[in-house]
Short mmCIF file of all heavy atoms in Angstrom, two decimals:
data_model
loop_
_atom_site.label_atom_id
_atom_site.label_comp_id
_atom_site.label_asym_id
_atom_site.label_seq_id
_atom_site.Cartn_x
_atom_site.Cartn_y
_atom_site.Cartn_z
N GLY A 156 8.31 44.41 -142.07
CA GLY A 156 8.51 42.98 -142.21
C GLY A 156 7.40 42.28 -142.96
O GLY A 156 7.61 41.21 -143.55
N SER A 157 6.22 42.87 -143.00
CA SER A 157 5.09 42.26 -143.70
C SER A 157 5.22 42.35 -145.22
O SER A 157 4.51 41.64 -145.94
CB SER A 157 3.80 42.95 -143.27
OG SER A 157 3.73 44.27 -143.81
N CYS A 158 6.09 43.26 -145.69
CA CYS A 158 6.24 43.53 -147.14
C CYS A 158 4.94 44.05 -147.75
O CYS A 158 4.75 43.98 -148.98
CB CYS A 158 6.70 42.28 -147.89
SG CYS A 158 8.34 41.71 -147.39
N ALA A 159 4.03 44.55 -146.92
CA ALA A 159 2.76 45.09 -147.41
C ALA A 159 2.98 46.44 -148.07
O ALA A 159 3.99 47.13 -147.83
CB ALA A 159 1.76 45.22 -146.26
N GLN A 160 2.00 46.83 -148.88
CA GLN A 160 2.06 48.11 -149.58
C GLN A 160 0.76 48.88 -149.34
O GLN A 160 -0.30 48.30 -149.12
CB GLN A 160 2.25 47.90 -151.08
CG GLN A 160 3.57 47.23 -151.47
CD GLN A 160 4.78 48.12 -151.21
OE1 GLN A 160 4.73 49.32 -151.44
NE2 GLN A 160 5.86 47.52 -150.73
N GLY A 161 0.85 50.21 -149.40
CA GLY A 161 -0.33 51.04 -149.36
C GLY A 161 -1.14 50.93 -148.08
O GLY A 161 -0.60 50.94 -146.98
N ASP A 162 -2.46 50.81 -148.25
CA ASP A 162 -3.36 50.78 -147.10
C ASP A 162 -3.05 49.64 -146.15
O ASP A 162 -3.21 49.78 -144.92
CB ASP A 162 -4.81 50.67 -147.57
CG ASP A 162 -5.28 51.93 -148.27
OD1 ASP A 162 -4.63 52.99 -148.10
OD2 ASP A 162 -6.30 51.86 -148.99
N LYS A 163 -2.64 48.49 -146.67
CA LYS A 163 -2.31 47.34 -145.83
C LYS A 163 -1.12 47.66 -144.93
O LYS A 163 -1.10 47.30 -143.75
CB LYS A 163 -2.00 46.13 -146.70
CG LYS A 163 -1.67 44.86 -145.92
CD LYS A 163 -2.84 44.36 -145.10
CE LYS A 163 -2.53 43.01 -144.46
NZ LYS A 163 -3.62 42.57 -143.57
N PHE A 164 -0.12 48.35 -145.47
CA PHE A 164 1.05 48.76 -144.68
C PHE A 164 0.61 49.63 -143.51
O PHE A 164 1.01 49.40 -142.36
CB PHE A 164 2.02 49.53 -145.58
CG PHE A 164 3.22 50.08 -144.86
CD1 PHE A 164 4.38 49.33 -144.75
CD2 PHE A 164 3.20 51.37 -144.31
CE1 PHE A 164 5.50 49.85 -144.09
CE2 PHE A 164 4.31 51.88 -143.65
CZ PHE A 164 5.45 51.12 -143.54
N TRP A 165 -0.24 50.63 -143.78
CA TRP A 165 -0.66 51.55 -142.72
C TRP A 165 -1.58 50.87 -141.73
O TRP A 165 -1.57 51.20 -140.53
CB TRP A 165 -1.32 52.78 -143.33
CG TRP A 165 -0.35 53.58 -144.16
CD1 TRP A 165 -0.32 53.69 -145.51
CD2 TRP A 165 0.76 54.33 -143.66
NE1 TRP A 165 0.74 54.48 -145.90
CE2 TRP A 165 1.42 54.88 -144.78
CE3 TRP A 165 1.26 54.60 -142.39
CZ2 TRP A 165 2.54 55.69 -144.67
CZ3 TRP A 165 2.38 55.40 -142.27
CH2 TRP A 165 3.01 55.94 -143.39
N ALA A 166 -2.36 49.90 -142.18
CA ALA A 166 -3.23 49.15 -141.26
C ALA A 166 -2.39 48.35 -140.27
O ALA A 166 -2.70 48.29 -139.07
CB ALA A 166 -4.16 48.23 -142.05
N ILE A 167 -1.33 47.72 -140.77
CA ILE A 167 -0.43 46.96 -139.88
C ILE A 167 0.27 47.91 -138.92
O ILE A 167 0.42 47.62 -137.72
CB ILE A 167 0.59 46.17 -140.72
CG1 ILE A 167 -0.11 45.09 -141.53
CG2 ILE A 167 1.67 45.55 -139.82
CD1 ILE A 167 0.78 44.39 -142.53
N MET A 168 0.68 49.07 -139.41
CA MET A 168 1.35 50.06 -138.57
C MET A 168 0.47 50.50 -137.41
O MET A 168 0.94 50.68 -136.28
CB MET A 168 1.73 51.28 -139.42
CG MET A 168 2.53 52.32 -138.68
SD MET A 168 4.30 52.09 -138.81
CE MET A 168 4.61 52.82 -140.40
N LYS A 169 -0.83 50.64 -137.65
CA LYS A 169 -1.74 51.14 -136.63
C LYS A 169 -2.33 50.03 -135.75
O LYS A 169 -3.00 50.33 -134.76
CB LYS A 169 -2.87 51.92 -137.30
CG LYS A 169 -2.41 53.21 -137.96
CD LYS A 169 -3.56 53.94 -138.61
CE LYS A 169 -3.10 55.25 -139.21
NZ LYS A 169 -2.56 56.17 -138.19
N ASP A 170 -2.09 48.77 -136.10
CA ASP A 170 -2.62 47.66 -135.31
C ASP A 170 -1.96 47.65 -133.94
O ASP A 170 -0.73 47.67 -133.83
CB ASP A 170 -2.34 46.35 -136.05
CG ASP A 170 -3.07 45.16 -135.43
OD1 ASP A 170 -3.52 45.27 -134.27
OD2 ASP A 170 -3.19 44.12 -136.10
N SER A 171 -2.77 47.61 -132.88
CA SER A 171 -2.22 47.65 -131.52
C SER A 171 -1.55 46.33 -131.12
O SER A 171 -0.83 46.28 -130.13
CB SER A 171 -3.32 47.98 -130.52
OG SER A 171 -4.36 47.01 -130.57
N HIS A 172 -1.80 45.26 -131.88
CA HIS A 172 -1.16 43.98 -131.59
C HIS A 172 0.23 43.93 -132.21
O HIS A 172 0.46 44.47 -133.30
CB HIS A 172 -2.00 42.82 -132.14
CG HIS A 172 -3.37 42.74 -131.55
ND1 HIS A 172 -4.45 43.40 -132.10
CD2 HIS A 172 -3.84 42.10 -130.45
CE1 HIS A 172 -5.53 43.16 -131.38
NE2 HIS A 172 -5.19 42.39 -130.36
N ILE A 173 1.15 43.29 -131.53
CA ILE A 173 2.51 43.17 -132.05
C ILE A 173 2.70 41.83 -132.74
O ILE A 173 2.16 40.81 -132.30
CB ILE A 173 3.56 43.35 -130.92
CG1 ILE A 173 4.96 43.49 -131.51
CG2 ILE A 173 3.49 42.21 -129.91
CD1 ILE A 173 5.99 43.94 -130.49
N GLY A 174 3.44 41.86 -133.83
CA GLY A 174 3.72 40.64 -134.58
C GLY A 174 5.15 40.18 -134.40
O GLY A 174 5.92 40.76 -133.62
N ALA A 175 5.53 39.16 -135.15
CA ALA A 175 6.86 38.57 -135.01
C ALA A 175 7.97 39.57 -135.32
O ALA A 175 8.98 39.65 -134.62
CB ALA A 175 6.98 37.36 -135.93
N PHE A 176 7.77 40.38 -136.37
CA PHE A 176 8.82 41.33 -136.74
C PHE A 176 8.95 42.45 -135.71
O PHE A 176 10.04 42.95 -135.46
CB PHE A 176 8.55 41.91 -138.13
CG PHE A 176 8.82 40.93 -139.23
CD1 PHE A 176 7.77 40.25 -139.84
CD2 PHE A 176 10.11 40.67 -139.65
CE1 PHE A 176 8.01 39.34 -140.86
CE2 PHE A 176 10.37 39.76 -140.66
CZ PHE A 176 9.31 39.08 -141.27
N GLY A 177 7.82 42.84 -135.10
CA GLY A 177 7.89 43.82 -134.03
C GLY A 177 8.66 43.30 -132.84
O GLY A 177 9.45 44.03 -132.22
N VAL A 178 8.45 42.03 -132.50
CA VAL A 178 9.20 41.41 -131.40
C VAL A 178 10.68 41.36 -131.72
O VAL A 178 11.53 41.68 -130.87
CB VAL A 178 8.66 39.99 -131.10
CG1 VAL A 178 9.55 39.28 -130.09
CG2 VAL A 178 7.22 40.07 -130.59
N ILE A 179 11.01 40.95 -132.94
CA ILE A 179 12.42 40.91 -133.36
C ILE A 179 13.05 42.30 -133.25
O ILE A 179 14.17 42.45 -132.74
CB ILE A 179 12.54 40.38 -134.80
CG1 ILE A 179 12.16 38.90 -134.85
CG2 ILE A 179 13.96 40.57 -135.34
CD1 ILE A 179 11.99 38.36 -136.25
N GLY A 180 12.31 43.31 -133.71
CA GLY A 180 12.83 44.67 -133.62
C GLY A 180 13.09 45.12 -132.20
O GLY A 180 14.11 45.74 -131.89
N LEU A 181 12.15 44.80 -131.29
CA LEU A 181 12.33 45.17 -129.89
C LEU A 181 13.52 44.44 -129.26
O LEU A 181 14.30 45.03 -128.52
CB LEU A 181 11.06 44.88 -129.10
CG LEU A 181 9.89 45.84 -129.32
CD1 LEU A 181 8.67 45.39 -128.53
CD2 LEU A 181 10.27 47.26 -128.91
N VAL A 182 13.65 43.15 -129.58
CA VAL A 182 14.77 42.38 -129.03
C VAL A 182 16.10 42.97 -129.50
O VAL A 182 17.03 43.17 -128.71
CB VAL A 182 14.65 40.89 -129.43
CG1 VAL A 182 15.94 40.14 -129.08
CG2 VAL A 182 13.47 40.25 -128.72
N MET A 183 16.18 43.25 -130.81
CA MET A 183 17.42 43.79 -131.35
C MET A 183 17.69 45.20 -130.81
O MET A 183 18.82 45.52 -130.42
CB MET A 183 17.34 43.83 -132.87
CG MET A 183 17.29 42.46 -133.53
SD MET A 183 18.81 41.49 -133.23
CE MET A 183 20.00 42.46 -134.16
N GLY A 184 16.67 46.04 -130.78
CA GLY A 184 16.87 47.40 -130.33
C GLY A 184 17.16 47.51 -128.84
O GLY A 184 18.13 48.15 -128.42
N LEU A 185 16.32 46.87 -128.03
CA LEU A 185 16.53 46.92 -126.58
C LEU A 185 17.82 46.21 -126.19
O LEU A 185 18.57 46.69 -125.33
CB LEU A 185 15.34 46.28 -125.86
CG LEU A 185 14.03 47.07 -125.90
CD1 LEU A 185 12.86 46.21 -125.42
CD2 LEU A 185 14.13 48.33 -125.06
N GLY A 186 18.05 45.05 -126.82
CA GLY A 186 19.29 44.32 -126.52
C GLY A 186 20.51 45.14 -126.87
O GLY A 186 21.50 45.17 -126.12
N GLY A 187 20.46 45.81 -128.02
CA GLY A 187 21.58 46.65 -128.42
C GLY A 187 21.82 47.79 -127.45
O GLY A 187 22.96 48.05 -127.05
N GLN A 188 20.76 48.45 -127.03
CA GLN A 188 20.93 49.58 -126.11
C GLN A 188 21.44 49.11 -124.74
O GLN A 188 22.27 49.78 -124.12
CB GLN A 188 19.62 50.35 -125.96
CG GLN A 188 19.30 51.22 -127.15
CD GLN A 188 18.41 52.39 -126.81
OE1 GLN A 188 17.95 52.54 -125.68
NE2 GLN A 188 18.16 53.25 -127.78
N ILE A 189 20.93 47.99 -124.26
CA ILE A 189 21.41 47.46 -122.98
C ILE A 189 22.90 47.14 -123.06
O ILE A 189 23.69 47.50 -122.17
CB ILE A 189 20.60 46.21 -122.57
CG1 ILE A 189 19.17 46.60 -122.20
CG2 ILE A 189 21.27 45.48 -121.40
CD1 ILE A 189 18.23 45.43 -122.03
N LEU A 190 23.29 46.47 -124.13
CA LEU A 190 24.70 46.10 -124.32
C LEU A 190 25.58 47.34 -124.46
O LEU A 190 26.61 47.47 -123.78
CB LEU A 190 24.83 45.21 -125.56
CG LEU A 190 26.25 44.79 -125.96
CD1 LEU A 190 26.89 43.93 -124.87
CD2 LEU A 190 26.22 44.04 -127.29
N PHE A 191 25.17 48.26 -125.33
CA PHE A 191 25.99 49.45 -125.59
C PHE A 191 26.07 50.35 -124.35
O PHE A 191 27.15 50.84 -124.01
CB PHE A 191 25.41 50.26 -126.76
CG PHE A 191 25.37 49.53 -128.07
CD1 PHE A 191 24.55 49.96 -129.09
CD2 PHE A 191 26.14 48.39 -128.29
CE1 PHE A 191 24.50 49.30 -130.31
CE2 PHE A 191 26.10 47.71 -129.50
CZ PHE A 191 25.27 48.16 -130.51
N ALA A 192 24.93 50.56 -123.69
CA ALA A 192 24.93 51.42 -122.51
C ALA A 192 25.77 50.82 -121.39
O ALA A 192 26.51 51.54 -120.71
CB ALA A 192 23.50 51.65 -122.02
N GLY A 193 25.67 49.50 -121.21
CA GLY A 193 26.48 48.85 -120.18
C GLY A 193 27.96 49.02 -120.42
O GLY A 193 28.74 49.24 -119.49
N GLN A 194 28.38 48.91 -121.69
CA GLN A 194 29.79 49.08 -122.03
C GLN A 194 30.23 50.54 -121.86
O GLN A 194 31.31 50.82 -121.35
CB GLN A 194 30.04 48.63 -123.47
CG GLN A 194 29.93 47.13 -123.68
CD GLN A 194 30.99 46.37 -122.91
OE1 GLN A 194 32.17 46.69 -122.96
NE2 GLN A 194 30.57 45.36 -122.16
#
């Protein structure tokens, strides 16, 4: 989601803090699995 390239991309990947796109990903992924598994 950062659109970073190279070293900046890997630095964001290794950062232990979560950003807005990480939260969006978790909401979509966890929400999808909860919905699909329940059905």
Side-chain angles (χ1 to χ4, degrees):
S157 71
C158 296
Q160 296 291 321
D162 291 342
K163 181 65 173 176
F164 176 90
W165 296 108
I167 293 171
M168 184 91 81
K169 293 180 178 298
D170 191 342
S171 60
H172 299 89
I173 190 169
F176 287 101
V178 172
I179 291 169
L181 286 177
V182 170
M183 293 297 293
L185 289 168
Q188 285 205 356
I189 290 169
L190 177 64
F191 298 162
Q194 290 296 311

